[in-house]
Amino acid sequence: MSSELKRFPMTGLFLEGRLRHDLSEEERVELESLVSRVEIHPDGHRLISRGDICDHSTMLIDGFMLRTLDSGDRRYGVSFHVPGDFVDLHCFALKRLDHNIECVGQAKVGLVPHERIAEVMKEKPHLARLFWFSTLLDAAMHREWIMKLEQLKVPQRIAHIFAEVWCRLDMVGLAFEDGFDTPLTQADLADMCGATPIHVNRAIGELRKSGIADFNRGEVRICNREKLENFAHFEKDYLYGDGALSLRQDGL
């Protein structure tokens, strides 16, 4: 466990690998104090449904979450969340969401009352700006997903998801040298790629056969990261970690 997590067990991964270095000690203490309640939810639990009136936002402490939209009898995954993400911070401004938030595997979350966020907006403008950056980061990832859905075939879309999740878990110290573990299923990947489960099954077989990635019982293993990223046309700049858009040496 990192020293940040030991000191701040509920919020120690927030903006890790991006702008956490720009948080002052006072801001880190303040951020941790914002969590009023911790909850653990099972796989598939819908934390927020489209249109629900919300009086709090959610910090993902452990586990994974998926933003989804329902259309007809289908569910579509529109973004994925890893520990340290302030999943629905924009709900503070909107008071409701136009999509759903669901747990992928068991998830531990910290609830932050909107009244406390309002205090931050009024009294701590730098921390408020970092919150704003967090929501803008979500938007950057949404844009990338939209573009890749139009550019790539299903095997490449899946490879892009693997490359992104691996990179994001790397940032927060939860990845392995050769990949990562995830409770995502083939059905989840189908919803995230706009494909059928059968098509996804074939695509995963293609990735395995070509030596790009192996996905089995929640384990994603990659022999050659460069090969995966080239196949997926993955460029990590939009994650604002390393790369041309890196903020690690800058501040807000």
Side-chain angles (χ1 to χ4, degrees):
M1 180 183 291
S2 70
S3 59
E4 281 292 282
L5 275 179
K6 289 178 181 177
R7 297 177 61 218
F8 307 108
M10 295 179 291
T11 63
L13 295 180
F14 178 63
L15 297 185
E16 185 62 51
R18 296 184 178 97
L19 278 170
R20 188 163 184 88
H21 65 277
D22 208 37
L23 284 165
S24 68
E25 177 68 15
E26 178 185 356
E27 288 171 334
R28 295 175 198 220
V29 171
E30 175 74 13
L31 177 60
E32 186 79 3
S33 75
L34 296 180
V35 176
S36 66
R37 187 167 78 251
V38 173
E39 297 178 349
I40 297 177
H41 297 289
D43 177 40
H45 174 75
R46 181 166 285 187
L47 190 68
I48 300 175
S49 293
R50 183 180 187 272
D52 284 352
I53 302 300
C54 302
D55 61 2
H56 64 267
S57 290
T58 309
M59 176 71 71
L60 182 54
I61 299 171
D62 188 38
F64 302 92
M65 302 189 111
L66 190 64
R67 294 182 194 266
T68 68
L69 286 168
D70 298 321
S71 180
D73 60 353
R74 277 218 60 177
R75 181 186 78 152
Y76 294 87
V78 295
S79 68
F80 190 67
H81 286 283
V82 305
D85 286 356
F86 220 149
V87 178
D88 54 353
L89 186 55
H90 47 295
C91 195
F92 165 71
L94 300 171
K95 297 304 177 187
R96 58 185 61 77
L97 297 176
D98 57 6
H99 55 276
N100 315 302
I101 303 291
E102 302 179 9
C103 299
V104 181
Q106 181 175 280
K108 183 179 182 180
V109 301
L111 304 184
V112 179
H114 285 167
E115 59 190 36
R116 293 298 312 280
I117 297 177
E119 293 172 4
V120 170
M121 295 295 169
K122 181 179 179 181
E123 300 171 5
K124 299 186 180 297
H126 181 255
L127 182 56
R129 190 174 182 183
L130 291 175
F131 284 179
W132 189 14
F133 167 74
S134 176
T135 64
L136 294 175
L137 180 60
D138 287 340
M141 289 188 282
H142 280 306
R143 287 190 290 272
E144 189 75 10
W145 277 41
I146 291 169
M147 182 175 68
K148 294 307 180 186
L149 277 174
E150 294 192 8
Q151 285 184 331
L152 305 179
K153 296 179 180 179
V154 173
Q156 293 171 297
R157 295 178 200 170
I158 294 172
H160 195 275
I161 289 170
F162 288 166
E164 179 188 292
V165 174
W166 193 11
C167 184
R168 291 168 66 189
L169 289 175
D170 252 348
M171 289 180 178
V172 296
L174 297 175
F176 305 126
E177 290 274 334
D178 62 345
F180 58 94
D181 292 344
T182 172
L184 282 171
T185 65
Q186 289 193 15
D188 292 326
L189 291 172
D191 292 342
M192 296 161 79
C193 291
T196 66
I198 292 176
H199 201 173
V200 166
N201 183 267
R202 291 172 180 165
I204 289 173
E206 180 180 324
L207 293 176
R208 182 181 298 116
K209 184 177 180 179
S210 59
I212 292 170
D214 188 21
F215 177 62
N216 185 36
R217 297 182 181 275
E219 295 183 356
V220 177
R221 295 295 178 265
I222 297 102
C223 295
N224 186 315
R225 192 167 201 159
E226 184 178 4
K227 185 176 182 179
L228 170 75
E229 293 180 352
N230 287 341
F231 178 76
H233 296 244
F234 176 75
E235 296 181 4
K236 57 188 175 182
D237 292 4
Y238 71 99
L239 296 176
Y240 286 84
D242 293 327
L245 301 178
S246 175
L247 294 173
R248 293 195 183 191
Q249 304 302 319
D250 302 318
L252 287 184

